[in-house]
Amino acid sequence: MGLFTMRVKDTFHLEGGTTAFIGVLETHARTIPPCDCQIIVNNEVKMSLRIDGEMILQKQQAPCRAISSSQRIDLASFGVGRGGFTIRSKD
């Protein structure tokens, strides 16, 4: 698996507890598999999470991509908004 970095534009909380992150990849990745990641704001790691992999959106707007996590994520408790942060896969 290659490392990836995504600049998140928006976050959605879906039924069933899934959280979807929509953004633009800053690194090349053909597909994003399940992996451990970090949420980063201003070069500071705010939290770790496990993503379930890439989601295929019905009306996906290039160059945006989507990843999801079934882990319960409360971004506000870490001082993170719905967008404007980075998700990076761990080494």
Side-chain angles (χ1 to χ4, degrees):
M1 178 193 81
L3 298 176
F4 80 91
T5 302
M6 173 188 273
R7 185 76 179 152
V8 176
K9 292 183 169 194
D10 207 351
T11 302
F12 301 93
H13 299 285
L14 308 174
E15 283 187 40
T18 297
T19 302
F21 301 96
I22 312 299
V24 177
L25 291 186
E26 295 180 343
T27 53
H28 175 72
R30 178 172 256 185
T31 59
I32 301 169
C35 60
D36 293 319
C37 297
Q38 300 170 318
I39 291 181
I40 301 166
V41 178
N42 297 326
N43 295 318
E44 180 184 343
V45 175
K46 293 290 188 176
M47 68 177 287
S48 294
L49 72 153
R50 174 85 181 166
I51 63 162
D52 301 329
E54 188 163 12
M55 300 175 70
I56 304 301
L57 300 177
Q58 197 167 27
K59 295 183 179 184
Q60 192 159 322
Q61 303 248 342
C64 287
R65 309 260 299 261
I67 56 176
S68 66
S69 176
S70 55
Q71 179 180 329
R72 182 166 176 79
I73 301 168
D74 182 5
L75 294 171
S77 69
F78 293 95
V80 178
R82 289 180 37 163
F85 57 89
T86 298
I87 294 180
R88 179 178 64 202
S89 56
K90 289 185 178 180
D91 299 337

